[in-house]
Amino acid sequence: MSLTSNDTTLADKTFVLIMVDPDAPPPQNTSLGQVRHFVSGSLKLSGSLADGATLTNTTPAVSDYITPQPPAGSDPHRYTLMLFVQSSNFTTVTHNFVNASVAPLNFNVTKFAQEVGLGSPI
C-alpha cells in the first residue's frame, strides 16, 4: 500500500492502518456494528510522497488480518481502510481496546481513534 500526498509534513510521521466492515452482518441489519478486519501501527513511509510512498510495517500487527467473509446472500459490504497519524501513546494504550480477548465484532473505529488519540483519518 502506498500514500500519495502534497503534504510534506507527513513524510516523517508514523501511521496506523485500520480496516473495518461497517455492514455486519448484512448491510440491512448492522446489529454487529463494525467488524475489525485489521489494525496495524508503527507504519513508516519510504519513497516520495509525490510519487506514492510505500507504507512499511515496522512491528507486528495489533490485530491480525481477518479475511472478509460476508454471509451468503448478503448485499455488498463496504470494506473501509483508514490511515491515521499515530499518536505518541498508541503502543502503550492500544492493548486496552484491541487484544486477543476483544472480539472483532461491534468494533467502533471512531471511539477507538478517540480513546487512543488518533484524531481524524488522513
Side-chain angles (χ1 to χ4, degrees):
M1 175 172 266
S2 63
L3 175 64
T4 303
S5 177
N6 293 328
D7 185 350
T8 56
T9 65
L10 297 174
D12 296 323
K13 302 287 185 191
T14 302
F15 299 92
V16 174
L17 180 65
I18 300 175
M19 179 181 171
V20 295
D21 172 5
D23 300 317
Q28 302 84 352
N29 172 13
T30 57
S31 62
L32 297 180
Q34 299 169 358
V35 174
R36 182 186 72 239
H37 282 274
F38 181 71
V39 177
S40 183
S42 301
L43 298 166
K44 294 287 195 173
L45 294 173
S46 60
S48 164
L49 275 168
D51 297 329
T54 302
L55 285 163
T56 305
N57 291 41
T58 58
T59 62
V62 173
S63 175
D64 289 335
Y65 178 72
I66 299 171
T67 304
Q69 298 174 334
S74 175
D75 284 351
H77 288 231
R78 298 168 293 161
Y79 296 96
T80 307
L81 290 163
M82 290 167 272
L83 187 67
F84 298 85
V85 173
Q86 185 168 312
S87 58
S88 59
N89 67 340
F90 179 80
T91 56
T92 58
V93 299
T94 298
H95 69 278
N96 295 328
F97 307 100
V98 176
N99 58 59
S101 65
V102 177
L105 304 176
N106 287 317
F107 184 71
N108 183 323
V109 70
T110 302
K111 183 177 178 183
F112 174 75
Q114 289 172 347
E115 294 287 343
V116 299
L118 294 178
S120 298
I122 60 168

mmCIF file of all heavy atoms in Angstrom, residues 21-35 71 74 77-78 103-108:
data_model
loop_
_atom_site.group_PDB
_atom_site.id
_atom_site.type_symbol
_atom_site.label_atom_id
_atom_site.label_comp_id
_atom_site.label_asym_id
_atom_site.label_seq_id
_atom_site.Cartn_x
_atom_site.Cartn_y
_atom_site.Cartn_z
ATOM 1 N N ASP A 21 -15.386 -3.397 8.414
ATOM 2 C CA ASP A 21 -16.585 -3.636 7.614
ATOM 3 C C ASP A 21 -17.742 -3.029 8.401
ATOM 4 O O ASP A 21 -18.121 -3.565 9.435
ATOM 5 C CB ASP A 21 -16.800 -5.133 7.409
ATOM 6 C CG ASP A 21 -18.135 -5.463 6.738
ATOM 7 O OD1 ASP A 21 -18.861 -4.532 6.336
ATOM 8 O OD2 ASP A 21 -18.445 -6.659 6.628
ATOM 9 N N PRO A 22 -18.303 -1.903 7.957
ATOM 10 C CA PRO A 22 -19.399 -1.281 8.696
ATOM 11 C C PRO A 22 -20.755 -1.943 8.440
ATOM 12 O O PRO A 22 -21.755 -1.526 9.013
ATOM 13 C CB PRO A 22 -19.390 0.160 8.172
ATOM 14 C CG PRO A 22 -18.866 0.039 6.786
ATOM 15 C CD PRO A 22 -17.866 -1.092 6.826
ATOM 16 N N ASP A 23 -20.790 -2.977 7.614
ATOM 17 C CA ASP A 23 -22.049 -3.575 7.174
ATOM 18 C C ASP A 23 -22.277 -4.979 7.711
ATOM 19 O O ASP A 23 -22.704 -5.873 6.991
ATOM 20 C CB ASP A 23 -22.083 -3.617 5.641
ATOM 21 C CG ASP A 23 -21.971 -2.242 5.031
ATOM 22 O OD1 ASP A 23 -22.627 -1.316 5.538
ATOM 23 O OD2 ASP A 23 -21.216 -2.078 4.065
ATOM 24 N N ALA A 24 -22.020 -5.206 8.991
ATOM 25 C CA ALA A 24 -22.134 -6.562 9.536
ATOM 26 C C ALA A 24 -23.404 -6.722 10.366
ATOM 27 O O ALA A 24 -23.752 -5.829 11.122
ATOM 28 C CB ALA A 24 -20.915 -6.871 10.391
ATOM 29 N N PRO A 25 -24.048 -7.876 10.299
ATOM 30 C CA PRO A 25 -23.737 -8.987 9.400
ATOM 31 C C PRO A 25 -24.105 -8.667 7.947
ATOM 32 O O PRO A 25 -23.269 -8.803 7.084
ATOM 33 C CB PRO A 25 -24.518 -10.157 9.959
ATOM 34 C CG PRO A 25 -25.589 -9.582 10.809
ATOM 35 C CD PRO A 25 -25.130 -8.212 11.212
ATOM 36 N N PRO A 26 -25.350 -8.227 7.604
ATOM 37 C CA PRO A 26 -25.586 -7.692 6.268
ATOM 38 C C PRO A 26 -25.846 -6.185 6.371
ATOM 39 O O PRO A 26 -26.191 -5.679 7.441
ATOM 40 C CB PRO A 26 -26.860 -8.425 5.818
ATOM 41 C CG PRO A 26 -27.645 -8.608 7.067
ATOM 42 C CD PRO A 26 -26.600 -8.786 8.162
ATOM 43 N N PRO A 27 -25.716 -5.463 5.264
ATOM 44 C CA PRO A 27 -25.940 -4.019 5.292
ATOM 45 C C PRO A 27 -27.336 -3.620 5.788
ATOM 46 O O PRO A 27 -27.508 -2.545 6.347
ATOM 47 C CB PRO A 27 -25.737 -3.586 3.839
ATOM 48 C CG PRO A 27 -24.856 -4.632 3.263
ATOM 49 C CD PRO A 27 -25.227 -5.912 3.965
ATOM 50 N N GLN A 28 -28.332 -4.513 5.619
ATOM 51 C CA GLN A 28 -29.688 -4.186 6.058
ATOM 52 C C GLN A 28 -29.845 -4.296 7.578
ATOM 53 O O GLN A 28 -30.801 -3.797 8.149
ATOM 54 C CB GLN A 28 -30.724 -5.121 5.412
ATOM 55 C CG GLN A 28 -30.729 -5.107 3.911
ATOM 56 C CD GLN A 28 -29.675 -6.039 3.315
ATOM 57 O OE1 GLN A 28 -28.827 -6.611 3.993
ATOM 58 N NE2 GLN A 28 -29.720 -6.175 2.001
ATOM 59 N N ASN A 29 -28.940 -4.980 8.249
ATOM 60 C CA ASN A 29 -29.015 -5.178 9.694
ATOM 61 C C ASN A 29 -27.604 -5.096 10.257
ATOM 62 O O ASN A 29 -26.893 -6.078 10.293
ATOM 63 C CB ASN A 29 -29.646 -6.542 10.014
ATOM 64 C CG ASN A 29 -29.559 -6.878 11.494
ATOM 65 O OD1 ASN A 29 -29.251 -6.031 12.325
ATOM 66 N ND2 ASN A 29 -29.817 -8.121 11.825
ATOM 67 N N THR A 30 -27.220 -3.919 10.684
ATOM 68 C CA THR A 30 -25.851 -3.715 11.169
ATOM 69 C C THR A 30 -25.758 -3.937 12.678
ATOM 70 O O THR A 30 -25.038 -3.247 13.379
ATOM 71 C CB THR A 30 -25.347 -2.310 10.806
ATOM 72 O OG1 THR A 30 -26.263 -1.356 11.349
ATOM 73 C CG2 THR A 30 -25.245 -2.125 9.306
ATOM 74 N N SER A 31 -26.451 -4.948 13.178
ATOM 75 C CA SER A 31 -26.521 -5.217 14.620
ATOM 76 C C SER A 31 -25.172 -5.577 15.231
ATOM 77 O O SER A 31 -24.985 -5.448 16.437
ATOM 78 C CB SER A 31 -27.525 -6.329 14.906
ATOM 79 O OG SER A 31 -27.116 -7.530 14.273
ATOM 80 N N LEU A 32 -24.248 -6.061 14.432
ATOM 81 C CA LEU A 32 -22.932 -6.403 14.964
ATOM 82 C C LEU A 32 -21.955 -5.238 14.830
ATOM 83 O O LEU A 32 -20.778 -5.377 15.114
ATOM 84 C CB LEU A 32 -22.376 -7.644 14.258
ATOM 85 C CG LEU A 32 -23.184 -8.922 14.460
ATOM 86 C CD1 LEU A 32 -22.541 -10.082 13.719
ATOM 87 C CD2 LEU A 32 -23.333 -9.262 15.929
ATOM 88 N N GLY A 33 -22.476 -4.105 14.395
ATOM 89 C CA GLY A 33 -21.634 -2.922 14.268
ATOM 90 C C GLY A 33 -20.533 -3.135 13.248
ATOM 91 O O GLY A 33 -20.676 -3.909 12.320
ATOM 92 N N GLN A 34 -19.464 -2.478 13.432
ATOM 93 C CA GLN A 34 -18.314 -2.631 12.542
ATOM 94 C C GLN A 34 -17.554 -3.901 12.920
ATOM 95 O O GLN A 34 -17.426 -4.227 14.092
ATOM 96 C CB GLN A 34 -17.386 -1.433 12.660
ATOM 97 C CG GLN A 34 -18.027 -0.135 12.277
ATOM 98 C CD GLN A 34 -17.164 1.062 12.655
ATOM 99 O OE1 GLN A 34 -16.099 0.952 13.233
ATOM 100 N NE2 GLN A 34 -17.665 2.237 12.333
ATOM 101 N N VAL A 35 -17.054 -4.587 11.920
ATOM 102 C CA VAL A 35 -16.154 -5.714 12.161
ATOM 103 C C VAL A 35 -14.739 -5.206 11.930
ATOM 104 O O VAL A 35 -14.448 -4.605 10.893
ATOM 105 C CB VAL A 35 -16.458 -6.904 11.219
ATOM 106 C CG1 VAL A 35 -15.418 -7.996 11.390
ATOM 107 C CG2 VAL A 35 -17.852 -7.437 11.482
ATOM 108 N N PRO A 71 -21.922 -12.982 4.840
ATOM 109 C CA PRO A 71 -22.824 -14.129 4.774
ATOM 110 C C PRO A 71 -23.344 -14.364 3.354
ATOM 111 O O PRO A 71 -23.516 -13.408 2.587
ATOM 112 C CB PRO A 71 -23.972 -13.736 5.704
ATOM 113 C CG PRO A 71 -23.465 -12.614 6.532
ATOM 114 C CD PRO A 71 -22.397 -11.945 5.741
ATOM 115 N N SER A 74 -25.819 -12.005 1.193
ATOM 116 C CA SER A 74 -25.749 -10.642 1.714
ATOM 117 C C SER A 74 -25.527 -9.648 0.581
ATOM 118 O O SER A 74 -24.872 -9.948 -0.418
ATOM 119 C CB SER A 74 -24.593 -10.535 2.709
ATOM 120 O OG SER A 74 -24.430 -9.203 3.143
ATOM 121 N N HIS A 77 -20.745 -5.512 0.847
ATOM 122 C CA HIS A 77 -20.221 -4.848 2.042
ATOM 123 C C HIS A 77 -19.194 -3.808 1.638
ATOM 124 O O HIS A 77 -18.523 -3.948 0.615
ATOM 125 C CB HIS A 77 -19.563 -5.879 2.970
ATOM 126 C CG HIS A 77 -20.544 -6.761 3.663
ATOM 127 N ND1 HIS A 77 -20.522 -6.946 5.020
ATOM 128 C CD2 HIS A 77 -21.569 -7.510 3.192
ATOM 129 C CE1 HIS A 77 -21.500 -7.771 5.363
ATOM 130 N NE2 HIS A 77 -22.141 -8.137 4.266
ATOM 131 N N ARG A 78 -19.047 -2.785 2.468
ATOM 132 C CA ARG A 78 -18.059 -1.725 2.242
ATOM 133 C C ARG A 78 -16.874 -1.980 3.162
ATOM 134 O O ARG A 78 -16.930 -1.664 4.350
ATOM 135 C CB ARG A 78 -18.663 -0.359 2.555
ATOM 136 C CG ARG A 78 -19.844 0.007 1.686
ATOM 137 C CD ARG A 78 -20.569 1.215 2.238
ATOM 138 N NE ARG A 78 -21.182 0.841 3.518
ATOM 139 C CZ ARG A 78 -21.565 1.706 4.436
ATOM 140 N NH1 ARG A 78 -21.390 2.996 4.254
ATOM 141 N NH2 ARG A 78 -22.117 1.294 5.571
ATOM 142 N N ALA A 103 -13.314 -9.362 20.950
ATOM 143 C CA ALA A 103 -13.837 -9.849 19.666
ATOM 144 C C ALA A 103 -13.791 -8.749 18.607
ATOM 145 O O ALA A 103 -13.922 -7.570 18.930
ATOM 146 C CB ALA A 103 -15.268 -10.338 19.844
ATOM 147 N N PRO A 104 -13.633 -9.136 17.349
ATOM 148 C CA PRO A 104 -13.597 -8.133 16.281
ATOM 149 C C PRO A 104 -14.972 -7.554 15.945
ATOM 150 O O PRO A 104 -15.060 -6.571 15.226
ATOM 151 C CB PRO A 104 -13.023 -8.901 15.092
ATOM 152 C CG PRO A 104 -13.342 -10.321 15.370
ATOM 153 C CD PRO A 104 -13.336 -10.475 16.856
ATOM 154 N N LEU A 105 -16.045 -8.151 16.484
ATOM 155 C CA LEU A 105 -17.396 -7.657 16.230
ATOM 156 C C LEU A 105 -17.697 -6.467 17.124
ATOM 157 O O LEU A 105 -17.131 -6.331 18.211
ATOM 158 C CB LEU A 105 -18.419 -8.760 16.485
ATOM 159 C CG LEU A 105 -18.226 -10.049 15.700
ATOM 160 C CD1 LEU A 105 -19.240 -11.088 16.129
ATOM 161 C CD2 LEU A 105 -18.304 -9.792 14.216
ATOM 162 N N ASN A 106 -18.604 -5.625 16.673
ATOM 163 C CA ASN A 106 -19.013 -4.424 17.414
ATOM 164 C C ASN A 106 -17.862 -3.465 17.681
ATOM 165 O O ASN A 106 -17.849 -2.764 18.688
ATOM 166 C CB ASN A 106 -19.714 -4.791 18.730
ATOM 167 C CG ASN A 106 -21.097 -5.326 18.485
ATOM 168 O OD1 ASN A 106 -21.832 -4.795 17.665
ATOM 169 N ND2 ASN A 106 -21.437 -6.399 19.159
ATOM 170 N N PHE A 107 -16.900 -3.450 16.797
ATOM 171 C CA PHE A 107 -15.799 -2.504 16.889
ATOM 172 C C PHE A 107 -16.318 -1.134 16.474
ATOM 173 O O PHE A 107 -17.148 -1.012 15.581
ATOM 174 C CB PHE A 107 -14.663 -2.942 15.957
ATOM 175 C CG PHE A 107 -13.423 -2.105 16.036
ATOM 176 C CD1 PHE A 107 -12.606 -2.160 17.144
ATOM 177 C CD2 PHE A 107 -13.061 -1.276 14.983
ATOM 178 C CE1 PHE A 107 -11.445 -1.402 17.220
ATOM 179 C CE2 PHE A 107 -11.903 -0.520 15.040
ATOM 180 C CZ PHE A 107 -11.100 -0.587 16.165
ATOM 181 N N ASN A 108 -15.851 -0.096 17.113
ATOM 182 C CA ASN A 108 -16.240 1.262 16.766
ATOM 183 C C ASN A 108 -14.960 2.043 16.500
ATOM 184 O O ASN A 108 -14.264 2.451 17.432
ATOM 185 C CB ASN A 108 -17.037 1.886 17.914
ATOM 186 C CG ASN A 108 -17.529 3.275 17.588
ATOM 187 O OD1 ASN A 108 -16.854 4.061 16.930
ATOM 188 N ND2 ASN A 108 -18.722 3.596 18.063
#
